[in-house]
Amino acid sequence: MAIIDVAGLQKFFPVTSGALAKHRWLKAVDGLSFSLREGSVFSLVGESGCGKSTVARLVLRLMEKTDGSVRFKGSDVFGLKGDALTAFRKSVQIIFQDPFASLNPRMTVFDTLSEPLKIHRIVPRSGFRDKVESLLKSVGLQSDVMNRYPHEFSGGQRQRICIARALAVSPEVIVADEPLSALDVSIQAQVLNILQELKRESNISFLFISHDLRVVRYFSDEVGVMYLGKIVEYSGADELFTEPLHPYTVVLLSSAPKIRPDGQQRIVLKGDVPSPADVPPGCPFHPRCPKRFAPCDKIVPKLETPVEHGFRGRLVSCHLWNPY
């Protein structure tokens, strides 16, 4: 059962280069659709600038959409008001990329973790200390850190505090936007193990955003591969990493250490990623695609299941698999 449904989601930003310049749109997110099932992890992967973080902010309603819908347990997120919006904010939390920037440097750990308890009236004030101790323990920190400030901690410890803050209101969904990228590799493994344990013990659903394919393979149930604001492949994690279908997915996996399919050589793409303000006609990947052919520069491929090839349950946007 899906807890979050995203359908046809768009976010365009106006772009002008001068007072008399022609009005254009930067298509940060262009017609995205996916579902996040209860207790599962759906990951979005892709190069920097492809729109992953914009999707996260739209799902959280931290910015307004251009078109499309985001539904949380059947309710339109952009139509929520008053108590319903407050309940949504409580149920869907975020872990940001930079743990230092997302913590108030003037607040102690106790103040940071007790604030959501106060706002959402989770426990009476007399129970704040016990609850904060419990939250710290759940992320592997001791209660003696309560009166310390963010600058006194390492990056990994700060991210644990951010995770504890997200857990304070017992959320049903956590949106994790590159939560490991600012950390050392050894610390990444520790934080990832905490997230994995939370998934296993509390049945929290995760929208996980990352460019690290090794982490995605370990943590995810389903994966959406993004390119220039669109999902070009949607699949179960095991199937995606074992047998990628879209040429862009193949390139991504070939560039990641130790997870290339057997016998595959690293593929180096030619050219730069096109600007989302000037998306090429046809398939957006065709200027860089090593397998492009006649229709690719003219016809936009649909995101469909290549049923005749035996890949039921998977979606791919490519003329190689779905002839126009």
Side-chain angles (χ1 to χ4, degrees):
M1 181 177 178
I3 190 168
I4 287 182
D5 273 309
V6 175
L9 190 62
Q10 293 182 333
K11 181 61 181 180
F12 298 169
F13 297 95
V15 177
T16 55
S17 55
L20 301 177
K22 184 180 178 181
H23 192 71
R24 296 186 301 159
W25 293 98
L26 187 152
K27 299 179 179 180
V29 177
D30 189 9
L32 226 68
S33 298
F34 65 86
S35 294
L36 172 62
R37 295 180 289 108
E38 290 187 10
S40 71
V41 178
F42 176 76
S43 292
L44 284 175
V45 301
E47 294 170 280
S48 296
C50 71
K52 304 186 301 295
S53 293
T54 303
V55 173
R57 282 153 178 75
L58 289 168
V59 169
L60 289 154
R61 198 179 153 181
L62 296 180
M63 62 170 60
E64 291 300 313
K65 64 177 181 175
T66 299
D67 200 2
S69 66
V70 177
R71 293 190 172 274
F72 173 68
K73 300 172 77 171
S75 298
D76 180 11
V77 168
F78 291 96
L80 298 176
K81 298 179 181 179
D83 291 343
L85 180 58
T86 301
F88 169 74
R89 298 287 189 212
K90 176 177 177 291
S91 297
V92 184
Q93 292 287 303
I94 186 169
I95 303 170
F96 291 101
Q97 178 178 355
D98 186 345
F100 189 71
S102 58
L103 292 171
N104 188 331
R106 297 185 178 184
M107 294 177 68
T108 64
V109 172
F110 178 82
D111 292 335
T112 296
L113 299 187
S114 62
E115 186 176 41
L117 304 178
K118 187 189 309 178
I119 292 171
H120 293 284
R121 301 176 182 178
I122 305 297
V123 295
R125 189 176 293 271
S126 60
F128 281 4
R129 186 173 185 84
D130 289 341
K131 180 65 175 178
V132 169
E133 284 185 3
S134 175
L135 290 168
L136 290 171
K137 184 178 179 180
S138 70
V139 296
L141 293 174
Q142 301 298 316
S143 59
D144 58 5
V145 306
M146 280 191 193
N147 296 318
R148 293 165 62 184
Y149 290 87
H151 71 272
E152 301 179 68
F153 296 95
S154 67
Q157 289 173 319
R158 291 174 197 153
Q159 196 63 293
R160 292 181 188 218
I161 294 168
C162 293
I163 295 171
R165 179 178 59 187
L167 294 175
V169 293
S170 301
E172 297 176 69
V173 176
I174 289 180
V175 177
D177 185 8
E178 299 274 14
L180 308 177
S181 62
L183 309 177
D184 293 338
V185 174
S186 60
I187 305 302
Q188 286 182 3
Q190 297 173 19
V191 174
L192 186 59
N193 286 335
I194 291 172
L195 296 177
Q196 187 78 311
E197 187 174 347
L198 290 173
K199 175 195 170 188
R200 184 172 57 250
E201 295 185 355
S202 59
N203 204 40
I204 294 174
S205 305
F206 285 86
L207 173 57
F208 191 77
I209 292 170
S210 178
H211 64 271
D212 190 330
L213 294 172
R214 294 169 298 178
V215 172
V216 169
R217 185 174 192 177
Y218 173 76
F219 190 51
S220 307
D221 297 303
E222 294 181 305
V223 181
V225 180
M226 287 189 68
Y227 187 79
L228 279 182
K230 296 178 179 288
I231 287 181
V232 296
E233 185 166 353
Y234 188 135
S235 173
D238 290 340
E239 294 83 358
L240 183 97
F241 286 96
T242 302
E243 190 171 5
L245 301 182
H246 196 282
Y248 178 61
T249 310
V250 174
V251 169
L252 281 183
L253 298 191
S254 79
S255 65
K258 298 184 180 179
I259 63 171
R260 299 186 195 116
D262 292 341
Q264 180 178 308
Q265 299 298 314
R266 182 177 181 182
I267 302 171
V268 179
L269 283 178
K270 296 180 180 179
D272 298 323
V273 181
S275 167
D278 190 20
V279 178
C283 173
F285 185 56
H286 88 261
R288 308 171 74 201
C289 182
K291 296 185 177 181
R292 63 182 180 271
F293 63 110
C296 297
D297 62 347
K298 300 178 181 67
I299 302 171
V300 179
K302 296 180 180 179
L303 186 64
E304 295 179 331
T305 301
V307 178
E308 63 184 64
H309 298 279
F311 293 109
R312 294 185 182 275
R314 301 182 65 177
L315 300 173
V316 61
S317 173
C318 181
H319 292 306
L320 290 170
W321 300 101
N322 299 313
Y324 63 101

